[in-house]
Amino acid sequence: MSTATLNISSLQQRISDAEWQTRTKLAQAYHLAAKLRWTDHIYTHFSLRVPGDLPHFLINAYGQTFDEIQPETLVKIDIDGNIIDDPTGLGINPAGFVIHSAIHRARPDAHAVMHTHTAAGMGVAAQKQGLLMISQHSSRFHRRVGYHDYEGIALDLDEQQRIVADLGELNALILRNHGLLTCGGGIEEAFYNLYYLERACQAQLAAQSGGAELIIVPDEVAEKVALAFENGIRNQKYLLHWDAYIRQLNRNAL
Protein backbone atom coordinates (compact mmCIF):
# COMPACT_ATOMS: atom_id res chain seq x y z
CA MET A 1 0.00 0.00 0.00
CA SER A 2 1.39 3.41 -0.99
CA THR A 3 2.01 6.27 1.41
CA ALA A 4 -0.73 8.27 -0.34
CA THR A 5 -3.21 5.46 0.18
CA LEU A 6 -2.26 5.18 3.84
CA ASN A 7 -2.70 8.93 4.29
CA ILE A 8 -6.10 8.88 2.60
CA SER A 9 -7.41 5.91 4.55
CA SER A 10 -6.53 7.52 7.89
CA LEU A 11 -7.66 11.06 7.08
CA GLN A 12 -11.22 10.84 8.35
CA GLN A 13 -9.94 9.57 11.69
CA ARG A 14 -7.58 12.55 12.02
CA ILE A 15 -9.99 15.39 11.31
CA SER A 16 -13.17 16.77 12.86
CA ASP A 17 -16.65 15.82 11.67
CA ALA A 18 -17.13 19.45 10.61
CA GLU A 19 -14.09 19.32 8.36
CA TRP A 20 -15.22 16.01 6.85
CA GLN A 21 -18.63 17.50 6.05
CA THR A 22 -16.91 20.50 4.49
CA ARG A 23 -14.74 18.21 2.37
CA THR A 24 -17.83 16.27 1.27
CA LYS A 25 -19.65 19.41 0.14
CA LEU A 26 -16.65 20.72 -1.77
CA ALA A 27 -16.17 17.37 -3.52
CA GLN A 28 -19.86 17.44 -4.47
CA ALA A 29 -19.38 20.90 -6.03
CA TYR A 30 -16.53 19.54 -8.15
CA HIS A 31 -18.67 16.59 -9.26
CA LEU A 32 -21.55 18.89 -10.18
CA ALA A 33 -19.18 21.07 -12.19
CA ALA A 34 -17.91 18.01 -14.05
CA LYS A 35 -21.48 17.00 -14.93
CA LEU A 36 -22.32 20.56 -16.03
CA ARG A 37 -19.16 20.80 -18.17
CA TRP A 38 -17.76 23.71 -16.19
CA THR A 39 -14.30 22.16 -16.16
CA ASP A 40 -11.01 22.91 -17.88
CA HIS A 41 -9.62 19.39 -17.32
CA ILE A 42 -7.22 19.59 -14.33
CA TYR A 43 -7.22 23.40 -14.29
CA THR A 44 -9.34 25.94 -12.38
CA HIS A 45 -10.26 25.59 -8.74
CA PHE A 46 -12.95 25.74 -6.09
CA SER A 47 -12.01 26.38 -2.48
CA LEU A 48 -13.85 26.25 0.84
CA ARG A 49 -12.82 27.46 4.26
CA VAL A 50 -12.33 24.81 6.94
CA PRO A 51 -14.49 25.42 10.05
CA GLY A 52 -12.47 26.53 13.06
CA ASP A 53 -10.30 29.34 14.33
CA LEU A 54 -7.40 28.84 11.93
CA PRO A 55 -7.54 30.40 8.43
CA HIS A 56 -7.28 27.11 6.55
CA PHE A 57 -9.05 26.27 3.32
CA LEU A 58 -9.47 23.26 1.04
CA ILE A 59 -8.62 23.20 -2.66
CA ASN A 60 -8.19 20.54 -5.35
CA ALA A 61 -5.00 18.54 -5.73
CA TYR A 62 -3.10 19.54 -8.88
CA GLY A 63 -3.54 16.78 -11.44
CA GLN A 64 -6.96 15.39 -10.56
CA THR A 65 -9.92 15.92 -12.86
CA PHE A 66 -13.07 17.25 -11.22
CA ASP A 67 -14.85 13.90 -11.40
CA GLU A 68 -11.92 12.20 -9.62
CA ILE A 69 -11.93 14.52 -6.61
CA GLN A 70 -13.07 12.96 -3.35
CA PRO A 71 -13.40 14.40 0.18
CA GLU A 72 -10.19 12.64 1.18
CA THR A 73 -8.11 13.89 -1.79
CA LEU A 74 -8.63 17.61 -1.20
CA VAL A 75 -5.59 19.57 -0.04
CA LYS A 76 -5.74 21.70 3.09
CA ILE A 77 -3.56 24.82 3.05
CA ASP A 78 -3.22 27.92 5.18
CA ILE A 79 -3.69 31.47 4.01
CA ASP A 80 0.04 31.78 3.22
CA GLY A 81 0.09 28.70 1.00
CA ASN A 82 1.66 26.28 3.45
CA ILE A 83 0.31 22.77 2.94
CA ILE A 84 -1.31 21.41 6.10
CA ASP A 85 -2.64 18.15 4.69
CA ASP A 86 -2.03 16.70 1.23
CA PRO A 87 -3.12 13.02 1.26
CA THR A 88 -2.32 12.39 -2.42
CA GLY A 89 1.03 14.20 -2.41
CA LEU A 90 0.11 16.03 -5.64
CA GLY A 91 0.35 19.54 -4.25
CA ILE A 92 -1.69 22.46 -5.60
CA ASN A 93 -1.74 24.69 -8.67
CA PRO A 94 0.17 27.89 -7.71
CA ALA A 95 -2.27 30.07 -9.67
CA GLY A 96 -5.10 28.61 -7.63
CA PHE A 97 -3.37 29.66 -4.43
CA VAL A 98 -2.75 33.21 -5.66
CA ILE A 99 -6.39 33.81 -6.58
CA HIS A 100 -8.16 31.96 -3.80
CA SER A 101 -5.94 32.90 -0.87
CA ALA A 102 -6.24 36.57 -1.81
CA ILE A 103 -10.02 36.44 -1.48
CA HIS A 104 -10.09 34.23 1.61
CA ARG A 105 -7.67 36.61 3.33
CA ALA A 106 -9.47 39.82 2.37
CA ARG A 107 -13.03 38.56 2.67
CA PRO A 108 -13.66 36.55 5.86
CA ASP A 109 -17.32 36.35 4.79
CA ALA A 110 -16.37 34.57 1.55
CA HIS A 111 -16.02 31.03 2.85
CA ALA A 112 -16.31 29.58 -0.67
CA VAL A 113 -14.65 30.71 -3.92
CA MET A 114 -15.31 29.15 -7.34
CA HIS A 115 -13.32 29.93 -10.50
CA THR A 116 -13.97 28.56 -14.00
CA HIS A 117 -12.66 28.72 -17.56
CA THR A 118 -15.86 27.79 -19.42
CA ALA A 119 -16.25 28.66 -23.11
CA ALA A 120 -19.16 31.00 -22.35
CA GLY A 121 -17.36 32.62 -19.43
CA MET A 122 -14.19 33.20 -21.41
CA GLY A 123 -16.25 34.44 -24.35
CA VAL A 124 -17.93 37.18 -22.33
CA ALA A 125 -14.67 37.91 -20.47
CA ALA A 126 -13.14 38.75 -23.87
CA GLN A 127 -15.84 41.31 -24.70
CA LYS A 128 -15.09 44.95 -23.95
CA GLN A 129 -18.62 45.69 -22.71
CA GLY A 130 -18.60 42.66 -20.42
CA LEU A 131 -21.88 41.20 -19.21
CA LEU A 132 -24.83 42.77 -20.99
CA MET A 133 -28.18 43.25 -19.27
CA ILE A 134 -30.11 41.27 -21.88
CA SER A 135 -31.65 38.49 -19.80
CA GLN A 136 -33.17 37.83 -16.40
CA HIS A 137 -30.04 35.88 -15.51
CA SER A 138 -27.69 38.76 -16.32
CA SER A 139 -30.00 41.28 -14.63
CA ARG A 140 -29.45 39.34 -11.44
CA PHE A 141 -25.90 40.86 -11.54
CA HIS A 142 -26.94 44.44 -12.34
CA ARG A 143 -24.19 46.60 -10.79
CA ARG A 144 -23.15 43.51 -8.83
CA VAL A 145 -20.31 42.08 -10.90
CA GLY A 146 -16.74 43.34 -10.91
CA TYR A 147 -14.04 43.18 -13.60
CA HIS A 148 -10.36 42.42 -13.26
CA ASP A 149 -8.02 43.14 -16.17
CA TYR A 150 -5.86 40.31 -17.43
CA GLU A 151 -2.26 40.35 -16.20
CA GLY A 152 -1.14 36.95 -17.46
CA ILE A 153 -1.23 33.64 -15.58
CA ALA A 154 -1.96 34.47 -11.95
CA LEU A 155 1.42 33.61 -10.46
CA ASP A 156 2.50 37.01 -9.13
CA LEU A 157 1.58 37.69 -5.52
CA ASP A 158 1.34 41.43 -6.13
CA GLU A 159 -1.70 40.80 -8.37
CA GLN A 160 -3.64 39.70 -5.30
CA GLN A 161 -4.26 43.27 -4.13
CA ARG A 162 -5.78 44.19 -7.50
CA ILE A 163 -7.99 41.09 -7.60
CA VAL A 164 -9.28 41.93 -4.14
CA ALA A 165 -9.82 45.61 -5.04
CA ASP A 166 -11.74 44.73 -8.20
CA LEU A 167 -13.95 42.24 -6.35
CA GLY A 168 -14.57 44.59 -3.42
CA GLU A 169 -17.67 43.51 -1.49
CA LEU A 170 -19.21 41.81 -4.54
CA ASN A 171 -19.71 38.09 -4.95
CA ALA A 172 -19.09 37.90 -8.70
CA LEU A 173 -16.02 38.84 -10.74
CA ILE A 174 -15.29 38.54 -14.45
CA LEU A 175 -11.58 38.04 -15.00
CA ARG A 176 -11.09 39.68 -18.39
CA ASN A 177 -9.64 37.38 -21.10
CA HIS A 178 -9.66 34.65 -18.48
CA GLY A 179 -12.90 33.41 -16.92
CA LEU A 180 -15.45 33.72 -14.12
CA LEU A 181 -15.23 33.81 -10.34
CA THR A 182 -17.91 33.78 -7.66
CA CYS A 183 -17.89 33.55 -3.90
CA GLY A 184 -20.34 33.18 -1.05
CA GLY A 185 -20.83 32.41 2.61
CA GLY A 186 -20.84 28.71 1.76
CA ILE A 187 -20.36 26.47 -1.25
CA GLU A 188 -24.13 26.46 -1.82
CA GLU A 189 -24.27 30.24 -2.28
CA ALA A 190 -21.10 30.41 -4.39
CA PHE A 191 -22.46 27.62 -6.61
CA TYR A 192 -25.78 29.46 -7.00
CA ASN A 193 -23.95 32.63 -8.01
CA LEU A 194 -21.80 30.77 -10.52
CA TYR A 195 -24.81 28.96 -11.98
CA TYR A 196 -26.52 32.26 -12.80
CA LEU A 197 -23.36 33.96 -14.05
CA GLU A 198 -22.51 31.03 -16.31
CA ARG A 199 -26.07 30.84 -17.68
CA ALA A 200 -26.06 34.61 -18.27
CA CYS A 201 -22.87 34.27 -20.30
CA GLN A 202 -24.30 31.37 -22.29
CA ALA A 203 -27.42 33.40 -23.07
CA GLN A 204 -25.35 36.40 -24.14
CA LEU A 205 -23.28 34.43 -26.63
CA ALA A 206 -26.39 32.70 -27.96
CA ALA A 207 -28.19 36.02 -28.45
CA GLN A 208 -25.18 37.60 -30.13
CA SER A 209 -24.76 34.66 -32.48
CA GLY A 210 -28.13 35.41 -34.10
CA GLY A 211 -26.87 38.75 -35.37
CA ALA A 212 -30.09 40.63 -34.52
CA GLU A 213 -30.18 43.83 -32.52
CA LEU A 214 -30.20 43.08 -28.80
CA ILE A 215 -32.80 44.38 -26.34
CA ILE A 216 -31.06 45.84 -23.29
CA VAL A 217 -33.07 45.62 -20.07
CA PRO A 218 -33.62 49.16 -18.69
CA ASP A 219 -31.60 49.97 -15.58
CA GLU A 220 -34.63 50.30 -13.34
CA VAL A 221 -35.98 46.91 -14.40
CA ALA A 222 -32.58 45.22 -14.10
CA GLU A 223 -32.19 46.68 -10.59
CA LYS A 224 -35.66 45.39 -9.65
CA VAL A 225 -34.58 41.91 -10.75
CA ALA A 226 -31.29 42.13 -8.85
CA LEU A 227 -33.07 43.21 -5.65
CA ALA A 228 -35.50 40.30 -5.95
CA PHE A 229 -32.59 37.87 -6.21
CA GLU A 230 -30.86 39.51 -3.25
CA ASN A 231 -33.99 38.99 -1.18
CA GLY A 232 -33.93 35.32 -2.15
CA ILE A 233 -30.29 35.05 -1.09
CA ARG A 234 -31.08 36.61 2.29
CA ASN A 235 -33.74 33.94 2.71
CA GLN A 236 -31.21 31.25 1.64
CA LYS A 237 -33.22 30.15 -1.40
CA TYR A 238 -29.93 28.93 -2.84
CA LEU A 239 -30.16 25.96 -0.47
CA LEU A 240 -33.18 24.69 -2.43
CA HIS A 241 -31.14 25.00 -5.63
CA TRP A 242 -28.16 23.15 -4.11
CA ASP A 243 -30.23 20.37 -2.53
CA ALA A 244 -32.07 19.72 -5.80
CA TYR A 245 -28.76 19.46 -7.66
CA ILE A 246 -27.36 17.05 -5.06
CA ARG A 247 -30.44 14.85 -5.45
CA GLN A 248 -29.89 14.84 -9.20
CA LEU A 249 -26.23 14.05 -8.71
CA ASN A 250 -27.08 11.13 -6.41
CA ARG A 251 -29.58 9.82 -8.99
CA ASN A 252 -27.00 10.29 -11.75
CA ALA A 253 -29.69 12.36 -13.44
CA LEU A 254 -27.54 15.23 -14.72
Side-chain angles (χ1 to χ4, degrees):
M1 184 178 291
S2 69
T3 301
T5 304
L6 285 170
N7 287 341
I8 289 172
S9 65
S10 65
L11 177 67
Q12 191 171 2
Q13 300 171 15
R14 295 189 284 104
I15 63 176
S16 67
D17 289 342
E19 180 176 334
W20 183 254
Q21 291 170 11
T22 299
R23 287 174 171 272
T24 298
K25 280 190 176 182
L26 184 55
Q28 288 172 328
Y30 278 109
H31 295 170
L32 284 173
K35 293 284 189 179
L36 293 169
R37 299 182 181 275
W38 290 356
T39 74
D40 189 7
H41 203 243
I42 65 170
Y43 307 102
T44 74
H45 339 87
F46 303 163
S47 62
L48 186 57
R49 190 184 301 274
V50 178
D53 296 332
L54 297 174
H56 294 164
F57 63 94
L58 301 167
I59 198 165
N60 49 322
Y62 195 15
Q64 285 197 312
T65 56
F66 280 19
D67 60 313
E68 289 182 299
I69 293 168
Q70 299 298 325
E72 60 268 27
T73 65
L74 291 161
V75 182
K76 181 163 65 174
I77 64 175
D78 68 16
I79 208 73
D80 296 315
N82 299 305
I83 290 179
I84 308 301
D85 219 329
D86 181 13
T88 66
L90 291 171
I92 62 171
N93 186 330
F97 162 71
V98 170
I99 295 171
H100 289 250
S101 66
I103 297 171
H104 284 299
R105 185 192 298 274
R107 291 277 304 276
D109 63 306
H111 287 204
V113 181
M114 304 181 73
H115 168 48
T116 58
H117 297 162
T118 62
M122 290 189 292
V124 171
Q127 296 183 11
K128 189 172 184 179
Q129 290 181 293
L131 188 67
L132 300 175
M133 298 297 105
I134 59 171
S135 68
Q136 180 167 282
H137 283 57
S138 62
S139 296
R140 179 247 182 278
F141 296 99
H142 183 247
R143 296 174 180 165
R144 289 161 176 81
V145 60
Y147 294 87
H148 174 67
D149 288 339
Y150 188 59
E151 299 185 26
I153 297 175
L155 297 175
D156 298 327
L157 290 178
D158 66 343
E159 187 179 355
Q160 290 184 316
Q161 59 186 328
R162 291 181 289 279
I163 292 173
V164 167
D166 291 332
L167 178 64
E169 296 303 313
L170 302 170
N171 283 329
L173 184 68
I174 293 178
L175 304 167
R176 293 192 185 277
N177 308 103
H178 185 173
L180 306 178
L181 183 146
T182 62
C183 52
I187 198 67
E188 303 94 335
E189 184 182 356
F191 181 89
Y192 178 80
N193 291 335
L194 184 57
Y195 171 86
Y196 273 97
L197 187 56
E198 171 65 20
R199 292 284 285 175
C201 290
Q202 290 173 356
Q204 181 166 322
L205 295 189
Q208 291 171 324
S209 70
E213 183 177 356
L214 300 178
I215 301 172
I216 304 297
V217 177
D219 280 348
E220 63 271 19
V221 176
E223 182 63 17
K224 180 181 178 181
V225 172
L227 288 172
F229 273 101
E230 281 187 349
N231 184 59
I233 289 174
R234 281 193 295 272
N235 292 320
Q236 298 188 321
K237 296 298 186 183
Y238 52 81
L239 295 178
L240 296 175
H241 181 81
W242 172 265
D243 290 344
Y245 255 130
I246 295 303
R247 293 196 303 272
Q248 284 187 279
L249 182 65
N250 291 336
R251 295 196 310 268
N252 196 28
L254 291 170

